[in-house]
Amino acid sequence: MTVANVNPVITQLTTAAVFENQLATLNGTYSDVGSQDTHSVDIDWDGDGVFDELGLPVSGGQFSFTHLYADDNP
């Protein structure tokens, strides 16, 4: 028996520029031919190569997450 699983594909990923103390919203859509697969998202909000949020569950081919970019100079 051979099982061939195709990786899911992110088909759209959007966010808008924000200022300090504002919420950023990350919206995305994805597709997967495997109808029984489950999916999760890992997000690196600050771009340092370390994921800030791991294993966020997604379903239905779309997702939306928010992050507060707090003031870094108290």
Side-chain angles (χ1 to χ4, degrees):
M1 175 188 289
T2 301
V3 176
N5 188 18
V6 177
N7 289 332
V9 175
I10 292 181
T11 53
Q12 183 178 6
L13 196 59
T14 60
T15 190
V18 296
F19 294 101
E20 288 182 329
N21 292 319
Q22 289 186 332
L23 284 176
T25 301
L26 176 67
N27 296 302
T29 59
Y30 65 93
S31 63
D32 188 354
V33 295
S35 62
Q36 300 297 313
D37 292 345
T38 60
H39 304 93
S40 63
V41 173
D42 299 333
I43 302 175
D44 175 11
W45 287 108
D46 57 10
D48 66 357
V50 177
F51 291 115
D52 302 300
E53 298 191 61
L54 295 168
L56 300 169
V58 297
S59 63
Q62 59 187 12
F63 56 87
S64 181
F65 296 103
T66 59
H67 175 75
L68 175 64
Y69 280 94
D71 187 349
D72 65 353
N73 189 12

